[in-house]
Amino acid sequence: MSERMLAVGEAPRTAGEVRGVVPPARAGVHDERAGGAAGDSGADGQEAAVLLDRTREAVEPELRRAVDSLPGTMRRVVTYHFGWEHADGRPAAGRSGKAIRPGLVLAAARALGGSPTAVVKAAAAVELVHNFTLLHDDVIDRDSTRRHRPTAWTVFGDADAILAGDALQALALRVLADDQHPAAGAAAARLAACVVELCEGQHVDTALEERPCDQVTLDECLGVAEAKTGALLGCACAVGALYAGAGQDEVEAMDAFGRQAGLAFQLIDDVIGIWGDPARTGKPVGADLLAGKKSLPVVAALTSDTAAGAELAELYPGLGPADVGRAADAIDRAGGRDWAQAQAAERMSQAVGQLSRAVPDPDLAGGLLALAEFVTRRSS
């Protein structure tokens, strides 16, 4: 058996036991929002980078065809959001993102014996849904930058950004409805169910933000992370499996793989929100702390029953810029960063165990593992 995968059902104790998956370095982490290469050192990072380049090459034409079908005013908001145009409509050289989710669709199909070419429309549909969530999240969170550019709502206004996001969700389902592949119907149903889960996750997240810090639990926050991040990564993997003609057990195992990898991703993203390098994230130091977000490291620290956790509770939320360094240090001393990094490794361990159920052959699973590691081994 290759070192790239354990035997079926034999999950490792830590993600570091599989292909060198390790918690991210404490020196800092890199954010997908920055638009740069994440986790791109070493052979695994190079493999993932090649896969993502090929994904963009295959999927972006389908994305552009879909977006071109939108009415003119809405198309302008979307093309700006994707980085294809400037706000005034001039062509821009920006990329529409890393293509992680469509990359998972293609890699899952390939791993289970399907044709990556046949799944391109489904991969585009998943990416359209992802961007629907980004447009809405930026409005809800009042984030002013994404990939070093002003967010769509800051340029075009709340209403236009929200409506553009709504259009992308509808467009995703239309892309699947127009697809002649026999799995398109099942994929559309699964993607629609995922959208409901995403919206519920956002609803709960918003409700948690209104609660006092001492009334929020880690389990609740992990549930939100699974719904908001893990659900779509799991759906991407499941859609790829459906297009490959996989059985129900394999489809569900692939969904579970994506969900656990998504939780690992969110844990690292939350670390980024506190300790990420602004030059690479495109956001101010401690942006999530200034916004008062109840991210996973913050809640882990607040519920740690430590002196540092109590110190953080006196500061949080309502921080000013001068308090960011002290709050970040308190979270660190309370164990919030270490907990998040250890949890990320554990979730990757569980992801690998689920993947081995669906794809026992380690060579076939290599692309999926490379992509999962790519987004969970980010360092700045």
Side-chain angles (χ1 to χ4, degrees):
M1 177 66 70
S2 164
E3 292 180 356
R4 299 176 78 178
M5 177 74 76
L6 300 183
V8 177
E10 185 183 4
R13 288 178 60 245
T14 69
E17 295 174 38
V18 180
R19 299 185 65 197
V21 183
V22 294
R26 289 179 60 83
V29 280
H30 184 191
D31 185 355
E32 182 191 20
R33 293 168 290 193
D40 55 0
S41 61
D44 294 336
Q46 292 173 2
E47 180 180 359
V50 169
L51 287 170
L52 292 173
D53 284 343
R54 290 175 178 170
T55 297
R56 280 188 291 270
E57 184 178 343
V59 175
E60 185 161 309
E62 191 65 43
L63 283 175
R64 286 182 179 268
R65 276 192 292 273
V67 170
D68 282 347
S69 71
L70 292 172
T73 53
M74 198 162 292
R75 183 172 64 248
R76 183 182 172 192
V77 178
V78 172
T79 54
Y80 172 82
H81 167 76
F82 273 121
W84 299 335
E85 291 184 355
H86 294 290
D88 61 5
R90 289 179 297 116
R95 295 194 315 192
S96 56
K98 282 192 174 60
I100 290 164
R101 290 153 190 84
L104 287 171
V105 177
L106 271 62
R110 185 183 297 109
L112 288 163
S115 166
T117 303
V119 79
V120 166
K121 286 183 180 292
V126 169
E127 186 69 351
L128 289 167
V129 164
H130 173 51
N131 282 276
F132 139 68
T133 70
L134 297 183
L135 281 161
H136 281 203
D137 282 354
D138 286 343
V139 174
I140 293 168
D141 295 338
R142 310 315 285 172
D143 284 336
S144 60
T145 60
R146 180 174 292 280
R147 306 184 190 113
H148 298 284
R149 303 175 86 208
T151 45
W153 72 269
T154 67
V155 176
F156 300 99
D158 288 359
D160 282 359
I162 292 168
L163 291 169
D166 292 342
L168 288 185
Q169 181 194 161
L171 201 56
L173 294 177
R174 193 179 78 188
V175 166
L176 288 172
D178 291 342
D179 192 357
Q180 299 302 307
H181 194 284
R190 194 164 197 110
L191 191 57
C194 179
V195 168
V196 173
E197 186 174 358
L198 290 167
C199 292
E200 173 64 10
Q202 182 62 64
H203 173 74
V204 174
D205 189 28
T206 303
L208 291 181
E209 291 300 326
E210 298 299 320
R211 280 199 222 161
C213 289
D214 60 0
Q215 295 180 22
V216 176
T217 70
L218 267 178
D219 284 345
E220 287 176 314
C221 293
L222 285 167
V224 167
E226 179 173 354
K228 288 186 61 178
T229 304
L232 190 54
L233 269 68
C235 182
C237 295
V239 165
L242 286 169
Y243 269 66
Q248 188 64 26
D249 288 346
E250 288 81 6
V251 171
E252 295 307 326
M254 291 296 280
D255 183 275
F257 160 73
R259 283 175 180 269
Q260 292 301 321
L263 275 171
F265 174 93
Q266 188 59 55
L267 284 153
I268 300 310
D269 201 57
D270 282 356
V271 173
I272 287 166
I274 301 172
W275 293 283
D277 178 0
R280 305 189 72 173
T281 65
K283 296 200 171 187
V285 172
D288 285 359
L289 296 179
L290 286 170
K293 292 185 179 180
K294 295 182 177 71
S295 64
L296 288 161
V298 167
V299 177
L302 289 170
T303 58
S304 65
D305 196 25
T306 63
E311 179 184 335
L312 178 66
E314 293 178 359
L315 293 169
Y316 208 80
L319 300 179
D323 300 316
V324 167
R326 183 181 169 194
D329 180 64
I331 296 166
D332 202 0
R333 287 184 286 109
R337 175 151 60 166
D338 287 342
W339 175 87
Q341 292 176 335
Q343 274 288 309
E346 174 60 27
R347 297 297 179 169
M348 271 299 295
S349 170
Q350 293 182 35
V352 169
Q354 293 292 340
L355 181 57
S356 67
R357 287 177 49 212
V359 190
D361 186 334
D363 293 325
L364 293 176
L368 285 164
L369 283 172
L371 290 174
E373 292 171 18
F374 181 82
V375 298
T376 55
R377 294 187 68 186
R378 294 165 285 167
S379 61
S380 56

